Amino acid sequence: MSDIPLLEVRNLSKHYVQRGSLLGQRTDVFKAVDTVSFSLPRGKTLGLVGESGSGKTTIGKCALRLIEPTSGQILFDGQDITHISGGELRRRRSDMQMIYQSPAASLNGRMTIGEIIGEPLWLHERLRGQRRRERVMELLHIVGLKTEHYYRFPHEFSGGQQQRVGIARALAVKPKLLILDEPTSALDVSVQAQVLNLLHELQQQFQLSYLFISHDLSVVRYLCDQVALLYLGKVVELADVETIFTRPKHPYTQALISAIPEPDPDGGREQILLQGDLNLRTPKQGCPFAPRCHVAKLAHCETDVPPLVEVEARHQVSCHLHPSSAHSRN
Ligand code: SF4
């Protein structure tokens, strides 16, 4: 297997200009994603974690080139795909598929399951007739659905089954990367586990890489190898999953982990309550997390943005409490 990461994002930014006055003269720049960098090795899962509005879905859509980044670089399989277009982009897109949060909304209710899964087989491989039908049957089997489901419509299925259809449709074009945007958050807890198990099995079977977008850290712990915590469009902590859960260093990560329900209520973990939400006014300068930070703040928390630095091997943190002189990346 190649050592080149399947997906690499370098200093990716997506900014939106907002008109601030009635006459449209004053403009503000909203930084949905701000200088984000990470790499995703083949066959592995990277979790992008953060509250709603932290920029995680925007990163996923930029990686797929569904929205254009303002700056930065996206490399897929070693190729810079930041500016490719037309047929070249379409060919690349078949290697990268997205699974959405709401399975019902992502399936065309007027098409049968056979037509939904068969559509990309026609578009990408010009597969038709019996060969397409056989391939759809095979995909139904792979995702745990039955042959008789071929002629049914999405509304006849449960949320978990609809998500399986979405996964089968994505697998139809034999992708290398799946971008999973909160794929289980609309499902019942018992069904969530089944879909997560299916994703885990498919990853082993087809050597898939996953970019797993979620706000649910317990789900992230089950599926991910690496985790990037996002706050207001920036990565604030990035490490392998065990490090994040056993030695979180950023106060935001610590607060999110402390909020995960424990099986034993007397387990002794103290919950850190985050003050306010992401809508708190973003400070004009200094650490973006400062208005909600629960730890003793340093003088320069209010004045300097903490750079993202490597505090130990493969563990990056953006907080003035954890300085590092050697590996600063901002
Ligand atoms: Fe809190 Fe300061 Fe660290 Fe920001 S830099 S997270 S305000 S301690």
Side-chain angles (χ1 to χ4, degrees):
M1 199 181 287
S2 167
D3 283 344
I4 300 171
L6 184 67
L7 177 69
E8 196 176 351
V9 161
R10 296 180 184 161
N11 290 318
L12 183 77
S13 293
K14 179 65 187 175
H15 297 172
Y16 295 94
V17 176
Q18 298 171 317
R19 302 251 172 242
S21 75
L22 280 177
L23 296 175
Q25 287 166 338
R26 190 170 66 80
T27 56
D28 286 325
V29 175
F30 169 63
K31 298 179 178 178
V33 177
D34 195 19
T35 56
V36 165
S37 298
F38 60 78
S39 63
L40 171 60
R42 286 153 209 276
K44 300 287 183 190
T45 302
L46 171 70
L48 295 180
V49 179
E51 292 160 280
S52 184
S54 59
K56 50 195 193 303
T57 297
T58 306
I59 294 172
K61 288 185 173 172
C62 282
L64 263 180
R65 294 282 317 282
L66 292 176
I67 53 179
E68 292 302 317
T70 306
S71 60
Q73 243 185 331
I74 303 153
L75 290 99
F76 186 83
D77 226 350
Q79 180 195 4
D80 187 342
I81 62 162
T82 322
H83 302 294
I84 61 171
S85 58
E88 197 179 7
L89 179 58
R90 272 197 300 281
R91 275 192 297 282
R92 264 307 180 201
R93 282 229 180 99
S94 66
D95 288 331
M96 308 181 272
Q97 294 291 304
M98 193 147 184
I99 304 288
Y100 294 93
Q101 176 177 7
S102 169
S106 67
L107 304 176
N108 186 337
R110 283 177 297 192
M111 291 167 77
T112 64
I113 300 308
E115 288 167 339
I116 289 171
I117 300 173
E119 190 178 41
L121 292 170
W122 166 249
L123 292 174
H124 289 268
E125 294 181 38
R126 291 286 179 253
L127 219 56
R128 62 200 327 179
Q130 184 60 16
R131 283 182 58 217
R132 185 166 71 186
R133 196 180 133 80
E134 282 170 12
R135 180 87 180 110
V136 172
M137 293 297 187
E138 190 189 335
L139 286 160
L140 285 173
H141 175 71
I142 286 171
V143 299
L145 293 172
K146 298 189 179 133
T147 311
E148 66 242 38
H149 291 143
Y150 187 94
Y151 292 106
R152 301 227 184 125
F153 288 88
H155 72 269
E156 299 177 71
F157 287 77
S158 68
Q161 287 174 317
Q162 288 172 344
Q163 197 58 292
R164 286 174 191 266
V165 173
I167 293 169
R169 179 180 56 186
L171 292 179
V173 293
K174 301 182 181 146
K176 296 175 181 172
L177 169 69
L178 289 188
I179 297 180
L180 305 159
D181 189 359
E182 306 263 14
T184 57
S185 60
L187 306 177
D188 293 341
V189 175
S190 58
V191 181
Q192 275 185 16
Q194 292 168 16
V195 172
L196 288 171
N197 285 337
L198 172 66
L199 288 169
H200 185 65
E201 286 162 19
L202 293 173
Q203 183 167 46
Q204 308 299 315
Q205 192 176 349
F206 299 109
Q207 281 301 300
L208 293 165
S209 303
Y210 292 157
L211 194 60
F212 188 76
I213 295 166
S214 182
H215 67 279
D216 184 343
L217 274 170
S218 35
V219 170
V220 164
R221 186 167 203 175
Y222 172 74
L223 202 67
C224 296
D225 300 291
Q226 273 190 304
V227 185
L229 274 297
L230 288 151
Y231 191 80
L232 288 174
K234 275 186 163 301
V235 173
V236 295
E237 185 155 10
L238 173 61
D240 67 67
V241 69
E242 263 327 289
T243 304
I244 289 290
F245 281 88
T246 54
R247 300 194 307 282
K249 291 201 181 296
H250 195 282
Y252 181 54
T253 317
Q254 291 168 349
L256 292 184
I257 287 177
S258 80
I260 300 173
E262 278 191 288
D264 174 8
D266 299 322
R269 190 168 64 199
E270 208 175 306
Q271 185 171 351
I272 302 164
L273 287 177
L274 277 174
Q275 300 159 29
D277 57 30
L278 275 182
N279 293 324
L280 271 180
R281 197 173 164 75
T282 314
K284 287 252 180 292
Q285 57 181 10
C287 173
F289 188 61
R292 301 173 75 191
C293 186
H294 62 278
V295 299
K297 292 169 200 160
L298 308 171
H300 49 304
C301 291
E302 312 283 345
T303 53
D304 302 334
V305 177
L308 186 66
V309 296
E310 201 159 58
V311 293
E312 58 184 335
R314 296 182 300 285
H315 187 178
Q316 298 170 13
V317 182
S318 157
C319 173
H320 291 307
L321 292 172
H322 304 284
S324 164
S325 54
H327 305 289
S328 176
R329 297 182 60 179
N330 200 21

